[in-house]
Amino acid sequence: MPAEPRSASGGAIALRTRLLAAMLGPLLAVAAIIGIGGATLIADVVRRTNDRVLAGALGAIAETVQVERGEVTLDLPPAAFGMLENGERDNVYYRIAVGSELLTGYADLPAPDPAQLVIDQPRFRFARYRDQDIRIGEVKRMLPRIDRPVIVQIAETLDNRKALTNRLLGALLLAELALVGVAALLLRPALGWSLRPLARLRGAVESRELSSRPDFSPLDNGPLPSELQPLARAFNQLLAQLDNATGGVRRFTADASHQMRTPLSVLKVQVALARRGSSEALDEIGDAVARLERLVTQLLALARAEEAGVSAPLEAVDLKEVCAAVIGRLINPAIAAGVELNLDADDGEDYVISGHRTLAFEIIANLIDNGIRYNQPGGTVSVALLRRPTETLLTVSDDGPGIPPDKREAIFERFVRLGGAQGPDGTGLGLAIVRSAAQRMGAQVEIGDSAAGTIILIRFRFVDRRSTLPVT
């Protein structure tokens, strides 16, 4: 692909200059084509016009050729030569011959082959005579009682033709230069008028810089030409995306600060009690620090799951190995809560997906952690893997209170918790992390129907272990 042209300052060439060049280039090309065509036409017109005069003089001379007493006679009319007079004073030559015998005129004037001439049909040709280019007009006539053809020739030099051609070419060149010059002068203001909507669009964008706070509302730039409407729509879509992104950041910051305020307030109170000698305050401080640590950890996990920019290349991830690693990490909290953890996966089956191991670990860890927290003593959290032709299905089910149908969409929002203050400790970020991480890997998250407890289904795209993707 050719490189983008650059200006002397290193930046891209101005749009006005590019358009001017794009218009003047074809205009100059058309002018060149017109010039070549005009020059060809001028040369043909000059040749035909002068040949017509030359033919008149030739005919006038040929008409005087007669036969008297068996001999060819002629009377050269002065008017025939007067026709050929011009301001450039071209030299005029003539030759009249009967067969190969010269009757009168210039004997060394290039003679034609009589066999190539048609009777009473003039022929014209260029020749070289006395170191000059000449134009010869010649005609063959047959006279009564004369067995040989009479050849009449008249020629002139080309100074007048060249001068006339040069004058016409000069006029054509001046007309083309005037046309291109006027077009160039008119194109710049025309381009300014044409680019005015673009300048208005730029002004609408630049006016946002003067605002004290970011303004992501759609641009108010008035009616735009059809060529600029896609640009305006794309820019407004970008503004809407930025508005959503910054709104999400503001909501996230507000919610995070609200969620962190409680453990920090508890921590502040318990520190004050500990200073007064309360031994129970240290336990409360430990609990507050643990809740704060969990909140910060999950906030970081959510940020990692939603990070912007170019994602890392997908890997072949063994879901069975990741599930086993997560269960190994969470077995102690499960034992403390009196919850049993199960993994249901065939030993001989291949559960490889296309994704990121870190995100897969976060998904499974948050689902199992929610299953432990919202379960009952003696309950069970079951993790099951099922391979299908086009996907690998992961299900995590528990024996908890379940999720009401009207809450199934809201539960994936940040800081949304079921049970309110009476529910188990948590941040309300677990399922938000699950959905965000799954979306980054192209997986689908669903809540299954169950008479008791909760079932979460994750549908991963299947990848054969023989794939070229690296296995982690």
Side-chain angles (χ1 to χ4, degrees):
M1 185 174 179
E4 179 73 11
R6 300 283 179 176
S7 65
S9 59
I13 296 177
L15 182 58
R16 187 188 301 270
T17 303
R18 293 166 67 100
L19 291 174
L20 188 61
M23 293 180 179
L24 283 179
L27 181 61
L28 291 175
V30 171
I33 294 174
I34 293 177
I36 295 173
T40 303
L41 180 62
I42 287 173
D44 184 68
V45 169
V46 170
R47 179 181 60 81
R48 289 176 180 274
T49 301
N50 284 271
D51 281 354
R52 191 174 293 112
V53 176
L54 194 62
L58 179 65
I61 294 175
E63 289 295 330
T64 65
V65 178
Q66 297 178 358
V67 177
E68 293 182 1
R69 302 189 186 127
E71 295 183 357
V72 178
T73 63
L74 68 121
D75 183 13
L76 292 177
F81 296 97
M83 295 181 188
L84 301 177
E85 291 182 358
N86 53 64
E88 278 68 29
R89 298 183 180 277
D90 280 318
N91 294 329
V92 179
Y93 309 98
Y94 68 94
R95 179 177 179 273
I96 297 95
V98 180
S100 59
E101 179 184 352
L102 178 67
L103 185 61
T104 185
Y106 294 82
D108 57 346
L109 189 67
D113 182 2
Q116 296 180 351
L117 296 178
V118 180
I119 297 175
D120 293 331
Q121 289 190 8
R123 188 184 72 169
F124 301 92
R125 60 189 173 94
F126 289 102
R128 188 78 177 169
Y129 181 64
R130 295 185 181 182
D131 296 328
Q132 289 182 303
D133 292 324
I134 61 172
R135 181 71 168 172
I136 301 177
E138 50 202 11
V139 66
K140 179 173 73 171
R141 296 194 66 192
M142 297 299 297
L143 299 178
R145 300 183 300 279
I146 301 296
D147 56 354
R148 292 177 297 172
V150 177
I151 307 298
V152 180
Q153 292 178 281
I154 187 166
E156 66 174 349
T157 54
L158 306 180
D159 293 341
N160 182 63
R161 298 181 184 229
K162 292 179 180 179
L164 180 58
T165 300
N166 290 336
R167 286 196 297 271
L168 293 176
L169 288 177
L172 176 63
L173 179 61
L174 288 177
E176 287 194 337
L177 291 177
L179 176 64
V180 173
V182 171
L185 291 176
L186 295 179
L187 276 178
R188 185 164 289 275
L191 287 176
W193 174 80
S194 301
L195 294 176
R196 193 174 300 166
L198 188 59
R200 187 168 64 248
L201 183 62
R202 181 190 65 186
V205 175
E206 290 177 346
S207 64
R208 301 296 176 93
E209 299 178 359
L210 304 177
S211 303
S212 58
R213 56 175 297 178
D215 183 6
F216 299 115
S217 61
L219 293 176
D220 182 15
N221 41 54
L224 289 176
S226 57
E227 294 82 2
L228 289 180
Q229 289 177 4
L231 175 62
R233 285 196 298 268
F235 193 81
N236 285 334
Q237 290 174 359
L238 177 61
L239 290 177
Q241 293 174 358
L242 288 174
D243 190 25
N244 291 335
T246 55
V249 170
R250 288 193 297 267
R251 291 191 301 272
F252 182 80
T253 304
D255 292 341
S257 61
H258 175 74
Q259 294 292 326
M260 294 178 68
R261 186 179 297 118
T262 299
L264 287 175
S265 299
V266 172
L267 187 60
K268 182 177 180 180
V269 171
Q270 297 304 325
V271 167
L273 293 176
R275 286 176 177 173
R276 296 178 184 177
S278 174
S279 59
E280 297 178 355
L282 296 177
D283 296 333
E284 295 293 337
I285 290 174
D287 292 341
V289 170
R291 290 195 298 272
L292 188 59
E293 180 185 15
R294 173 173 172 76
L295 175 62
V296 172
T297 300
Q298 289 205 303
L299 287 174
L300 292 175
L302 183 60
R304 184 166 57 249
E306 295 182 346
E307 65 178 325
V310 179
S311 300
L314 296 178
E315 307 163 331
V317 180
D318 188 347
L319 271 185
K320 184 177 178 181
E321 180 273 329
V322 177
C323 289
V326 174
I327 291 175
R329 177 173 295 188
L330 297 179
I331 190 66
N332 290 331
I335 293 174
V339 174
E340 180 181 353
L341 299 182
N342 294 327
L343 175 59
D344 182 11
D346 293 340
D347 292 335
E349 197 60 85
D350 193 357
Y351 301 102
V352 177
I353 66 164
S354 175
H356 303 284
R357 189 183 188 282
T358 301
L359 296 181
F361 192 96
E362 291 289 348
I363 290 173
I364 299 170
N366 279 280
L367 291 177
I368 295 178
D369 182 70
N370 278 355
I372 294 174
R373 288 178 177 273
Y374 288 90
N375 218 317
Q376 55 187 346
T380 302
V381 176
S382 298
V383 181
L385 294 173
L386 177 63
R387 175 181 167 179
R388 293 179 175 175
T390 59
E391 66 181 6
T392 299
L393 182 64
L394 166 71
T395 61
V396 179
S397 57
D398 60 56
D399 299 329
I403 302 175
D406 60 337
K407 299 291 186 181
R408 289 186 175 182
E409 184 60 30
I411 198 65
F412 289 102
E413 300 295 330
R414 300 183 181 101
F415 305 112
V416 174
R417 295 172 56 202
L418 296 180
Q422 288 74 31
D425 292 338
T427 61
L429 291 173
L431 290 181
I433 294 173
V434 169
R435 184 170 66 173
S436 180
Q439 288 175 346
R440 285 198 61 200
M441 294 194 298
Q444 298 178 351
V445 184
E446 302 174 6
I447 298 179
D449 295 325
S450 176
T454 302
I455 300 178
I456 305 293
L457 300 91
I458 313 291
R459 302 182 185 275
F460 295 96
R461 289 176 294 183
F462 172 75
V463 174
D464 195 314
R465 187 175 287 274
R466 292 172 295 181
S467 171
T468 56
L469 293 175
V471 178
T472 58

